[in-house]
Amino acid sequence: MSTASPASPSSAASPSVLSAPRTLATAARVLRQLRHDPRSIALMLLVPCVMLLLLRYVFDGSPGTFNNIGASLLGIFPLITMFLVTSIATLRERTSGTLERLLAMPLGKADLIVGYAIAFGTLAVIQSLLATGLALWVLGLDVIGSPWLLLLVALLDAILGTALGLFVSAFASSEFQAVQFMPAVIFPQLVLCGLFTARENMQPVLEKISNVLPMSYAVDGMNEVLRHPDITADFVRDVVIVAACALLVLALGAATLRRRTP
Amino acid sequence: MMNFASGSATNGPDEAADPQSAAIRAADLTVVRGSREVIRGIDFAVPRGQITGLLGPSGCGKSTLMRSIMGTQAKVTGTLEVLGHPAGDAWLRSRIGYVTQAPSVYDDLTVRQNLDYFMAILDPGRAATDRRHEHVTRAIAEVDLDSHADVLAGNLSGGQRSRVSLAVALLGTPELLVLDEPTVGLDPVLRRDLWKLFSTIAEGGTTILVSSHVMDEAERCHRLLLMRDGELLADDTPDALRTRMDCATVEDAFLRLVDEANARQRIQQAQHDKESTR
């Protein structure tokens, strides 16, 4: 009795596998909710562009610095934005009772999570297109590799951000707490990811810590594209690690969605 | 005051006596929340096609019982069968409509968008588009929100929002409706209309379990479950309850039952204290 019963013979009603129509309906619903909130969309899309613009002229005298930081930031922005948006959105889903209602309906947990990932992933792609376009063609960011690879890493970062946000929202009981998870989860990664100084220059213990934080690989991936015309082995490693982390955290996030709650 | 108990003799008492045809059947049902036993080994059967009222003081375990029936409550022990399946079974998920006490709808979607989404979860796929549209339009009309169909749920009044939540539960063709205080905060006219709707739905064969602490609503149920402190005080028709307690109204009968239970508890407590001081 304490756990969900095994699937009944009528498996048509069983939501154990991913259902494409339900997943897409969820993604469409999340985007529809956002559409009623144009200010949030504007902030999500414009803030990264404004930050890049700002940095470009802060480092007016040393374009090399802007080059390094700019490429890293193209990986960091989607992660942070999607982390914040997802943690608040899922928290609201939990506290408003809609999550309980959905889980009492024939909706699989995977439908919900993948639906969120698709919706916010779409938004992240638009955000990255704007930020990358601005950085490359207006601000003169000098990238040797293909801009498509930048976009690929940005998308994976966004999904990682979505996954982390979903996961930590389980540990927040208010939006106040959820926002505090941002400095707790994101800032240490930001400091250690190689944005401020190359990771190999850090104190060895910190370097080891940075080796196990996913944002380090998101930034490394961006820098590989920045410096190499082709896909390097390191780039492939970075992409695989970020994707694997995203999947792992998504699975952990799914485990925090309980049909039965105390 | 309306009383359906007499009018429903055709599908009423006989089925109620037969546990095989019960929509919900509980035996030795216990629920623990934290370190407290919120529901303490209760037994009951809710007959099909009737309105069963779940009554009791706030905090007596009504909502916990409803969540257990929905399969969203953890730490449930004993037997709890819903429509012949264990509570929480995946088979049940498209067959039960559920309204929680707080309206669970998306404030940043319109009424219609809310219903469209939940309907897409119940009956997905492109082939069902027309059917979904029909269901959504019908549900909006049933809760009398036609004129507000394109208003954001967050901009509605409290009563209107709880009706959106109720409309979600009416989507599809649920065999069982579990309604946790669906008429709280509604004006008398709306309450009367909703109860009319409930009895129409029940006449169509749907079972309704509805909690309330408004006692004139209790008179409109076919059957009543009276709860106090995690235990069942009574499981009877309103008529039988009034006769047994020799009261004019269900409210009086309920108050007398609660008073008697409180008195019994005080006596037990006093005896317990006496024994422990001895």
Side-chain angles (χ1 to χ4, degrees):
Chain A
M1 276 301 300
S2 58
T3 55
S5 329
S8 60
S10 53
S11 57
S14 168
S16 52
V17 278
L18 192 71
S19 146
R22 289 192 176 107
T23 306
L24 293 177
T26 303
R29 184 263 297 174
V30 174
L31 289 174
R32 210 166 278 147
Q33 282 178 286
L34 272 175
R35 217 172 56 197
H36 289 292
D37 186 4
R39 194 178 302 170
S40 289
I41 299 183
L43 284 169
M44 265 188 259
L45 298 183
L46 293 182
V47 168
C49 294
V50 173
M51 284 299 292
L52 282 170
L53 196 70
L54 186 70
L55 281 169
R56 164 66 184 79
Y57 293 104
V58 165
F59 295 108
D60 205 26
S62 54
T65 316
F66 172 70
N67 232 28
N68 281 333
I69 292 184
S72 303
L73 283 181
L74 286 178
I76 292 169
F77 281 140
L79 204 159
I80 293 183
T81 320
M82 295 309 136
F83 173 84
L84 269 178
V85 173
T86 315
S87 57
I88 300 285
T90 18
L91 184 79
R92 281 164 71 181
E93 189 104 61
R94 280 176 212 272
T95 50
S96 70
T98 46
L99 182 69
E100 175 163 332
R101 167 163 251 157
L102 284 174
L103 291 180
M105 281 182 157
L107 180 79
K109 292 175 193 172
D111 298 340
L112 186 71
I113 291 175
V114 178
Y116 264 102
I118 290 176
F120 290 144
T122 308
L123 208 68
V125 167
I126 300 172
Q127 185 199 59
S128 301
L129 278 172
L130 285 175
T132 312
L134 179 80
L136 291 189
W137 289 296
V138 180
L139 303 179
L141 187 75
D142 194 13
V143 174
I144 296 169
S146 159
W148 293 110
L149 295 179
L150 288 182
L151 211 59
L152 172 73
V153 180
L155 177 63
L156 288 174
D157 291 347
I159 294 175
L160 177 64
T162 298
L164 285 170
L166 187 81
F167 180 64
V168 302
S169 80
F171 305 99
S173 54
S174 68
E175 285 167 355
F176 210 50
Q177 290 180 4
V179 174
Q180 299 305 320
F181 271 112
M182 161 67 176
V185 175
I186 299 292
F187 278 17
Q189 298 200 62
L190 203 60
V191 171
L192 294 173
C193 73
L195 178 65
F196 299 109
T197 174
R199 293 199 288 126
E200 53 268 24
N201 297 342
M202 294 175 188
Q203 207 269 339
V205 176
L206 291 185
E207 191 191 344
K208 288 216 169 63
I209 296 175
S210 85
N211 283 342
V212 296
L213 294 175
M215 196 192 279
S216 309
Y217 298 93
V219 168
D220 280 1
M222 285 297 186
N223 284 320
E224 287 297 309
V225 183
L226 185 75
R227 295 201 179 91
H228 303 278
D230 298 311
I231 297 177
T232 60
D234 279 354
F235 175 79
V236 174
R237 180 206 62 187
D238 295 334
V239 164
V240 167
I241 289 178
V242 172
C245 282
L247 281 179
L248 177 73
V249 182
L250 273 181
L252 288 175
T256 68
L257 297 175
R258 312 298 282 266
R259 284 190 199 273
R260 288 183 185 271
T261 47
Chain B
M1 208 170 281
M2 279 193 280
N3 181 2
F4 291 102
S6 50
S8 66
T10 44
N11 66 344
D14 297 348
E15 277 197 9
D18 180 10
Q20 284 304 303
S21 72
I24 305 170
R25 200 174 59 80
D28 195 23
L29 181 71
T30 301
V31 181
V32 178
R33 292 188 72 180
S35 57
R36 221 166 68 82
E37 257 187 23
V38 183
I39 292 180
R40 303 190 272 180
I42 62 175
D43 304 77
F44 65 89
V46 170
R48 281 185 200 250
Q50 291 195 359
I51 304 177
T52 299
L54 180 59
L55 308 168
S58 49
C60 72
K62 297 191 295 284
S63 295
T64 305
L65 177 58
M66 291 189 144
R67 295 188 71 233
S68 309
I69 291 166
M70 291 310 300
T72 55
Q73 179 66 49
K75 295 190 176 176
V76 181
T77 52
T79 307
L80 184 57
E81 268 185 16
V82 182
L83 303 174
H85 291 257
D89 194 312
W91 183 85
L92 293 167
R93 284 183 201 138
S94 54
R95 290 169 176 81
I96 317 182
Y98 178 35
V99 176
T100 48
Q101 233 168 55
S104 38
V105 292
Y106 297 101
D107 282 346
D108 41 7
L109 289 181
T110 68
V111 174
R112 187 179 292 279
Q113 287 171 342
N114 262 292
L115 293 173
D116 279 342
Y117 173 56
F118 288 113
M119 194 62 218
I121 300 304
L122 284 174
D123 192 5
R126 196 161 290 174
T129 311
D130 291 340
R131 194 162 60 226
R132 282 204 296 270
H133 185 75
E134 258 169 54
H135 274 285
V136 168
T137 309
R138 171 187 56 81
I140 292 177
E142 277 174 344
V143 298
D144 198 21
L145 281 175
D146 307 77
S147 53
H148 291 79
D150 297 313
V151 178
L152 285 184
N155 293 342
L156 296 173
S157 74
Q160 288 168 330
R161 282 173 77 231
S162 62
R163 277 186 283 154
V164 182
S165 196
L166 177 62
V168 177
L170 300 176
L171 291 172
T173 38
E175 290 173 44
L176 170 67
L177 280 176
V178 177
L179 313 174
D180 200 350
E181 312 222 344
T183 57
V184 163
L186 300 186
D187 61 77
V189 180
L190 264 172
R191 280 209 292 137
R192 183 200 60 196
D193 291 350
L194 280 183
W195 275 91
K196 265 187 199 153
L197 174 66
F198 295 161
S199 59
T200 313
I201 292 172
E203 274 160 25
T206 301
T207 309
I208 300 182
L209 178 68
V210 53
S211 75
S212 175
H213 53 238
V214 186
M215 287 297 164
D216 68 315
E217 293 186 342
E219 309 273 356
R220 304 178 193 206
C221 298
H222 299 124
R223 232 185 144 73
L224 295 174
L225 296 171
L226 298 189
M227 276 185 87
R228 178 193 159 276
D229 202 13
E231 283 167 351
L232 271 187
L233 289 186
D235 173 5
D236 223 330
T237 65
D239 272 342
L241 194 68
R242 280 192 302 263
T243 314
R244 177 157 68 89
M245 300 309 294
D246 193 22
C247 292
T249 62
V250 168
E251 175 156 15
D252 291 338
F254 175 62
L255 288 174
R256 186 170 292 181
L257 276 168
V258 171
D259 286 344
E260 280 178 11
N262 285 340
R264 267 201 307 278
Q265 198 177 35
R266 270 197 301 274
I267 292 167
Q268 280 169 358
Q269 188 64 45
Q271 276 172 349
H272 179 80
D273 291 347
K274 214 184 284 173
E275 275 162 25
S276 53
T277 49
R278 202 172 280 168

